[in-house]
Amino acid sequence: MNTLKITKATAEDALKLQSIGRQTFSETFADVNSEENMKKYLDESFATAKLTAELNNSSSYFYLAVLDEKIVGYLKLNTADAQTEKEDLNALEIERIYVAKEFHGKKVAQALYAQAEEIAQEIKATYMWLGVWEKNFRAVSFYTKNGFVQFDTHIFRLGDDEQTDLMMKKVLI
């Protein structure tokens, strides 16, 4: 396997981000959610205008995992008021780490996570946190292995379906 590169995404990468975002979310959740709910979520969350606005938000960071010129995953981090929940302003939210299914188990998620840790250090975050669907056992295991512990739950809406996310955090200092 050639070298994996983690590169910062800019507004010019909106369509690439949209493509890998829709692909990986579908691969992860399509078989356990209705087609209508998936379509609604994908159309809203990965709309070009929404992604461009998020890419232009100085409190959010996007990174692409690139292997042999192919985007195989991505990372979205939020700080300050860009966080999806009102957490500590000194916290770093990992909103998304997604990797194309064919690259699962190839350390891509770990490389993206390492990038998140680097940003947490740069901004002197006191802790990192995230929400992960309680039934996404692979992701829950990944975050637990990386030192995250559950501290709460919240409801994530996918179309008209209410799902429970585990809120997990890792204290850094």
Side-chain angles (χ1 to χ4, degrees):
M1 186 153 94
N2 290 343
T3 310
L4 178 70
K5 289 194 225 56
I6 307 297
T7 61
K8 191 166 185 358
T10 64
E12 289 75 55
D13 296 313
L15 294 178
K16 294 176 191 169
L17 186 60
Q18 182 181 57
S19 176
I20 191 66
R22 292 179 67 96
Q23 175 195 335
T24 54
F25 195 87
S26 295
E27 287 175 349
T28 306
F29 300 113
D31 58 347
V32 290
N33 288 285
S34 75
E35 199 175 316
E36 301 89 316
N37 284 343
M38 285 295 294
K39 181 177 178 356
K40 182 175 178 356
Y41 182 84
L42 291 171
D43 289 349
E44 289 172 3
S45 297
F46 296 102
T48 309
K50 184 176 192 308
L51 287 177
T52 302
E54 290 175 352
L55 283 159
N56 284 323
N57 182 338
S58 62
S59 295
S60 292
Y61 306 78
F62 285 89
Y63 292 89
L64 301 172
V66 184
L67 186 66
D68 299 332
E69 308 303 312
K70 179 180 175 166
I71 297 171
V72 299
Y74 76 105
L75 166 70
K76 181 183 182 198
L77 304 172
N78 296 314
T79 60
D81 57 359
Q83 295 176 86
T84 58
E85 300 256 329
K86 290 295 170 233
E87 288 294 324
D88 191 316
L89 287 179
N90 291 330
L92 177 69
E93 176 190 15
I94 299 175
E95 185 178 348
R96 297 184 182 136
I97 292 182
Y98 280 98
V99 175
K101 207 169 207 149
E102 66 182 291
F103 294 95
H104 283 184
K106 297 192 178 0
K107 307 284 185 225
V108 177
Q110 200 62 50
L112 288 166
Y113 175 71
Q115 181 65 51
E117 285 191 309
E118 199 175 294
I119 295 299
Q121 286 176 342
E122 278 177 29
I123 67 167
K124 297 177 175 42
T126 52
Y127 65 93
M128 291 190 288
W129 71 276
L130 54 94
V132 58
W133 187 36
E134 64 183 349
K135 293 181 182 161
N136 188 347
F137 305 117
R138 181 184 190 93
V140 171
S141 171
F142 174 81
Y143 292 119
T144 302
K145 184 183 85 190
N146 279 291
F148 284 77
V149 293
Q150 183 184 343
F151 69 94
D152 202 355
T153 60
H154 75 165
I155 297 299
F156 174 82
R157 293 191 67 84
L158 188 89
D160 62 9
D161 189 25
E162 289 192 350
Q163 302 177 351
T164 302
D165 273 4
L166 304 179
M167 304 292 288
M168 301 180 80
K169 77 159 114 185
K170 179 179 182 178
V171 176
L172 302 173
I173 43 176

